[in-house]
Amino acid sequence: NAGVTQTPKFRVLKTGQSMTLLCAQDMNHEYMYWYRQDPGMGLRLIHYSVGEGTTAKGEVPDGYNVSRLKKQNFLLGLESAAPSQTSVYFCASSRTDQNSPLHFGNGTRLTVT
Amino acid sequence: AQRVTQPEKLLSVFKGAPVELKCNYSYSGSPELFWYVQYSRQRLQLLLRHISRESIKGFTADLNKGETSFHLKKPFAQEEDSAMYYCALRFYGGSQGNLIFGKGTKLSVKP
């Protein structure tokens, strides 16, 4: 039982390049989330999904797209990376019942130059 | 709008001293509140949730609906408690998704 796995762990991009961050969970969770963590800003929700085939915008969705084609996977895409997207990205998942906690991945450290 | 406020960015205490990390929330419905901890360069982990009313690693947190607070407390801090602590609020509906975090408090426990 690996929990929540994120790939890659580190990445350096040049402005304008694209990439996809992969999140996989093996806990059969319905809900999945993408957050970014920046110093002094805490965690901010980018996009989330309440089930396979569904996605919704969070607090800071601009510049990102997501897809949830399979229940266990939640992909975060950057079509044209910008230096402002330099951050640590965390994926999380949870059950649907009340008071279910989030289970986090180890994070992806992305630098855009 | 829903909001979680952690007023202290940094809290520094000596080993053995009591510690209280403050969290206030704004939500008109029935809140679900959590404390998460992140040790240096590790993933966030659940520390406490208000529904459980449990003590984890000596930490407790009580939901005060009158003061809309969910402060995290420990009577005697240990060096291994040094970490980032995030308070989180789960709510249902709205455009912000269903779990938001405060900006975090960095706890530093000095020997």
Side-chain angles (χ1 to χ4, degrees):
Chain A
N1 189 336
V4 179
T5 304
Q6 290 182 235
T7 53
K9 293 183 180 179
F10 305 94
R11 186 72 186 268
V12 178
L13 288 178
K14 293 185 177 179
T15 298
Q17 287 184 318
S18 63
M19 78 163 295
T20 300
L21 283 67
L22 172 63
C23 177
Q25 53 95 2
D26 60 2
M27 296 172 284
N28 202 35
H29 286 169
E30 288 291 336
Y31 292 172
M32 295 188 75
Y33 312 80
W34 276 106
Y35 289 90
R36 59 178 290 174
Q37 184 183 42
D38 302 290
M41 301 297 290
L43 278 87
R44 292 180 292 170
L45 182 64
I46 304 171
H47 287 280
Y48 67 102
S49 169
V50 298
E52 181 179 315
T54 72
T55 62
K57 294 180 180 180
E59 181 185 359
V60 288
D62 294 341
Y64 305 95
N65 57 74
V66 288
S67 65
R68 184 101 181 265
L69 298 179
K70 293 183 179 181
K71 185 177 183 179
Q72 63 267 34
N73 296 335
F74 195 29
L75 278 63
L76 178 71
L78 286 73
E79 290 187 348
S80 179
S84 60
Q85 294 177 305
T86 293
S87 187
V88 180
Y89 292 86
F90 285 98
C91 176
S93 70
S94 76
R95 299 194 314 261
T96 60
D97 46 301
Q98 279 193 323
N99 292 294
S100 292
L102 266 60
H103 297 258
F104 282 88
N106 277 326
T108 296
R109 189 172 294 273
L110 175 66
T111 302
V112 182
T113 61
Chain B
Q2 297 78 17
R3 187 164 52 243
V4 176
T5 303
Q6 294 180 249
E8 303 133 332
K9 287 187 179 180
L10 174 65
L11 186 62
S12 185
V13 301
F14 286 102
K15 177 182 174 181
V19 62
E20 182 180 48
L21 289 82
K22 291 183 168 53
C23 172
N24 288 90
Y25 67 91
S26 174
Y27 180 50
S28 58
S30 183
E32 295 177 22
L33 288 153
F34 306 82
W35 276 99
Y36 285 83
V37 60
Q38 185 180 30
Y39 300 103
S40 181
R41 292 187 172 261
Q42 293 186 23
R43 71 177 73 194
L44 280 84
Q45 308 169 34
L46 176 69
L47 182 62
L48 285 176
R49 44 186 167 174
H50 88 272
I51 196 69
S52 302
R53 302 184 65 83
E54 58 198 342
S55 174
I56 304 293
K57 299 184 179 182
F59 284 98
T60 59
D62 289 319
L63 174 60
N64 185 323
K65 291 187 177 181
E67 296 182 358
T68 59
S69 68
F70 188 55
H71 302 328
L72 184 68
K73 300 177 183 178
K74 185 170 184 177
F76 307 105
Q78 303 299 314
E79 289 180 69
E80 55 265 30
D81 296 329
S82 296
M84 279 293 294
Y85 291 81
Y86 292 96
C87 182
L89 165 71
R90 168 167 272 160
F91 62 95
Y92 296 90
S95 62
Q96 284 189 321
N98 55 10
L99 193 89
I100 58 172
F101 288 80
K103 293 185 177 181
T105 298
K106 184 175 183 178
L107 174 64
S108 175
V109 182
K110 299 179 179 179

